[in-house]
Amino acid sequence: MAAYASPLTTRCLSQYLLKGSRLLKNSHCCRVVIIVRGCRTGTEVSESTNHGAQKSSVLLDNYNSMVGSGSLREDTHQRSVLLQLEQLQRVMKAYDNAPRVKVRDRDIQLNRPQHVEEKASGAGVAEQKTEATELEDHQLPSKYKAPKGFYIHGNVGTGKTMLMDMFYSHIENRRKKRVHFNAFMLDIHKRIHRLKLSLPKRKLGKMTVYDPIAPVAWEISQEACLLCFDEFQVTDIADAMILKQLFENLFRSGVVVVATSNRPPDELYKNGLQRATFVPFIHVLKEHCHTVCLDSGMDYRKRNMPAAGVLYYLTSEPGAERAVNNLFEELAQTQNDFTRPRVLMVLGREVHLSRTCGSIADCTFEELCARPLWASDYLEIARVFDTVFIRNIPRLSLRTKDQARRLTTLIDNFYDQKVRVVVLAEAPLECLFEQGPLVGEEQRDRMMLDDLGLTQDAGDRLSLFTGEEEIFSFQRTISRLTEMQTEQYWRQGDRNSKT
């Protein structure tokens, strides 16, 4: 086997890769680089794995300890998944996707900006094929390829996130990142936007074609060799259209993915717009991740656990609003602040909150879910506040599926950031979302179908119109809001105790 050069630093390697790219104005030539990633050597992996096998099972020891203390209930399904994750945990200890490069002697045109007139004449196409052929001709040896990750799916409350977090906390590798999938995709779009802004201005009469997804994936791969995603879901067409290319580049860069989801891979973006374009991503995901179902038939969030007092009030109950007011005043007294409005800046936009005090926000449902807010806004609220009051949640239905979708996204992000909530709602939690037929929206839906150029039969199958995604996801909202009322969750969300 040919000898490889010493690993270059990320900066130097980026200079090699970007020297001929469209990110740099004045240079279009670059040498071909063959990048090798994986465990340090085949021998080192074998030795490391054997050494790990001789040790006691770290993940299972931790799980057994939690079962023994009574904080967890014995679950054979969870134990089976944990055994599989432990094998990956041992491999990841020695794994590194930091590249080792071998520079070929022959120069080629790499990522040269291609103008409209060149496309029309076919110029530049041969160069792109040459580049692709060069890379295909040098497939990495199997012993250097990244280990397969895991895609863990199952019903709500079965312990998927807990097991992934347990796995993540025991990974002895600094180049790892754990993130909610909503937050990850928001970061992706920000990076793409930033890259586009850095491009040279277009010349009059010429349109430069540039795809920023590969550089963004490369940038992420240099920050982490392991990505752990909580709540892997696809509901946005903008996300759906870029996932295949994004993850192909991540996997090609040696990134290992572990994800949790309520849906099996084949049901991701189910009945979504232009789903046929999304389906190839599913094959990419299944090729690089073992699919594991964790479904013990029990929602552990709904098991009997000590409550943190009354945190869910009904508007019909006498004195409910007064009790919520008193709870806010009680918590506000612990803050080094006074009650006042706040304005948060999110991606250049202002998000107004009418009543806050320190790390506590007193909001209405209309403020949070009836306005055009989304995950980026809720993440910023979760960053600033550790306790949020949500007043006057109405009884939701398919006629208000936009608000229901926002509430689900809000709770997903609050739960991931351990934000504590106090709720004043019109209906009990289990009855908060009515799943009756969608009526009264026919005219609006017909107009939208016309705008999209779709037939009525096609519209009847799309989740955009059926509300199937909202119905499915709201079960997770109910489960999480149930856990968020427990004493254990309330203590975990107290940021003052952690400072």
Side-chain angles (χ1 to χ4, degrees):
M1 180 177 177
Y4 283 84
S6 300
L8 298 178
T9 63
T10 300
R11 184 175 63 182
C12 292
L13 183 59
S14 298
Q15 289 174 350
Y16 266 110
L17 293 175
L18 298 179
K19 183 177 179 183
S21 75
R22 299 159 197 172
L23 292 177
L24 298 184
K25 299 180 182 179
N26 301 321
S27 179
H28 300 309
C29 284
C30 179
R31 294 181 182 275
V32 178
V33 291
I34 308 301
I35 301 173
V36 175
R37 299 175 182 84
C39 302
R40 298 181 183 94
T41 66
T43 305
E44 290 175 18
V45 175
S46 177
E47 291 176 353
S48 175
T49 305
N50 292 336
H51 182 63
Q54 295 172 2
K55 292 184 177 181
S56 61
S57 175
V58 178
L59 288 180
L60 284 179
D61 285 350
N62 186 36
Y63 182 80
N64 292 334
S65 175
M66 296 177 75
V67 171
S69 67
S71 57
L72 287 181
R73 184 183 299 181
E74 175 65 38
D75 188 314
T76 56
H77 297 82
Q78 292 180 356
R79 186 177 290 275
S80 174
V81 172
L82 210 57
L83 279 169
Q84 297 177 68
L85 286 174
E86 182 143 42
Q87 296 177 25
L88 179 59
Q89 181 247 340
R90 289 172 177 167
V91 174
M92 290 305 300
K93 184 176 181 180
Y95 179 73
D96 187 6
N97 71 333
R100 303 182 182 194
V101 301
K102 172 184 168 182
V103 182
R104 293 178 62 85
D105 296 329
R106 185 159 47 86
D107 288 340
I108 65 165
Q109 295 284 337
L110 181 62
N111 285 336
R112 185 169 62 85
Q114 189 176 352
H115 301 299
V116 172
E117 57 268 31
E118 290 178 332
K119 271 192 148 183
S121 65
V125 175
E127 292 163 356
Q128 291 180 354
K129 287 183 178 179
T130 300
E131 176 195 350
T133 304
E134 289 291 342
L135 294 177
E136 288 172 4
D137 288 344
H138 294 84
Q139 294 295 322
L140 302 184
S142 59
K143 67 179 178 180
Y144 288 111
K145 290 183 179 179
K148 290 183 73 169
F150 283 91
Y151 181 94
I152 307 168
H153 67 92
N155 286 338
V156 297
T158 53
K160 301 181 296 295
T161 300
M162 178 201 69
L163 295 183
M164 186 186 73
D165 287 344
M166 191 183 297
F167 161 80
Y168 181 83
S169 66
H170 286 85
I171 290 293
E172 298 179 41
N173 191 322
R174 293 183 179 180
R175 301 186 67 249
K176 60 180 180 177
K177 182 181 292 186
R178 190 267 193 208
V179 63
H180 192 278
F181 193 68
N182 270 342
F184 176 75
M185 291 309 299
L186 285 170
D187 181 54
I188 291 295
H189 289 295
K190 287 179 183 177
R191 292 177 191 242
I192 290 174
H193 180 66
R194 187 183 70 238
L195 266 179
K196 287 181 176 179
L197 291 178
S198 70
L199 293 175
K201 292 183 178 180
R202 292 185 299 177
K203 295 181 179 180
L204 188 63
K206 292 186 177 182
M207 184 176 68
T208 301
V209 179
Y210 174 69
D211 183 1
I213 296 177
V216 166
W218 170 262
E219 185 179 335
I220 292 170
S221 73
Q222 298 312 292
E223 298 169 2
C225 64
L226 171 67
L227 291 176
C228 290
F229 297 122
D230 187 33
E231 207 52 59
F232 198 108
Q233 58 177 333
V234 187
T235 58
D236 191 319
I237 187 172
D239 294 344
M241 294 302 101
I242 67 171
L243 280 179
K244 178 178 181 289
Q245 187 179 357
L246 173 65
F247 275 80
E248 276 183 336
N249 281 282
L250 286 173
F251 290 135
R252 191 178 296 128
S253 299
V255 174
V256 180
V257 169
V258 175
T260 69
S261 179
N262 293 135
R263 288 193 181 276
D266 291 323
E267 293 186 10
L268 286 171
Y269 198 50
K270 186 178 180 181
N271 296 329
L273 279 171
Q274 300 182 27
R275 189 173 189 267
T277 310
F278 171 81
V279 167
F281 163 71
I282 297 175
H283 302 307
V284 172
L285 183 66
K286 292 165 77 172
E287 180 184 352
H288 292 88
C289 294
H290 300 287
T291 302
V292 179
C293 179
L294 175 57
D295 197 354
S296 56
M298 176 178 290
D299 185 346
Y300 285 104
R301 297 190 186 114
K302 294 184 178 180
R303 70 190 189 278
N304 292 327
M305 294 182 66
V310 181
L311 300 174
Y312 192 100
Y313 295 85
L314 296 176
T315 53
S316 59
E317 293 176 338
E321 189 163 358
R322 183 169 59 252
V324 172
N325 291 338
N326 292 339
L327 183 54
F328 176 81
E329 295 298 334
E330 179 184 336
L331 293 173
Q333 290 177 8
T334 66
Q335 303 293 310
N336 185 25
D337 198 0
F338 58 92
T339 302
R340 59 191 174 95
R342 289 275 292 276
V343 178
L344 307 180
M345 294 299 298
V346 182
L347 301 177
R349 296 179 293 102
E350 293 184 349
V351 177
H352 294 262
L353 300 179
S354 58
R355 193 166 187 247
T356 71
C357 183
S359 63
I360 304 170
D362 189 3
C363 306
T364 64
F365 177 82
E366 185 173 354
E367 275 185 296
L368 296 175
C369 301
R371 294 190 292 171
L373 303 182
W374 198 234
S376 55
D377 306 294
Y378 301 142
L379 280 169
E380 180 63 14
I381 293 172
R383 186 189 69 81
V384 176
F385 304 103
D386 66 2
T387 306
V388 177
F389 286 66
I390 311 173
R391 297 175 183 254
N392 305 324
I393 301 180
R395 194 184 295 267
L396 301 167
S397 68
L398 291 178
R399 295 190 64 179
T400 56
K401 59 180 181 289
D402 289 345
Q403 290 93 322
R405 189 185 304 118
R406 291 191 190 104
L407 181 60
T408 293
T409 304
L410 171 78
I411 296 303
D412 279 347
N413 285 281
F414 281 9
Y415 181 86
D416 188 63
Q417 300 297 319
K418 291 293 182 284
V419 174
R420 308 182 296 185
V421 297
V422 179
V423 174
L424 179 62
E426 183 181 325
L429 184 53
E430 296 288 347
C431 306
L432 195 57
F433 189 89
E434 294 179 335
Q435 300 181 18
L438 180 59
V439 295
E441 303 294 318
E442 292 83 359
Q443 184 175 356
R444 186 199 69 173
D445 289 352
R446 275 197 301 270
M447 292 175 62
M448 192 175 295
L449 283 169
D450 290 341
D451 291 340
L452 295 171
L454 299 173
T455 64
Q456 183 65 49
D457 289 342
D460 289 341
R461 295 190 298 271
L462 289 175
S463 60
L464 175 66
F465 301 104
T466 64
E468 179 185 358
E469 183 63 36
E470 287 74 24
I471 295 171
F472 181 85
S473 298
F474 208 82
Q475 297 305 310
R476 182 174 70 250
T477 303
I478 293 173
S479 175
R480 289 185 163 179
L481 277 172
T482 301
E483 183 182 346
M484 292 166 86
Q485 297 175 59
T486 64
E487 182 182 354
Q488 180 182 359
Y489 181 91
W490 194 263
R491 285 200 311 268
Q492 291 174 340
D494 186 1
R495 296 177 189 173
N496 291 329
S497 66
K498 299 174 184 178
T499 57

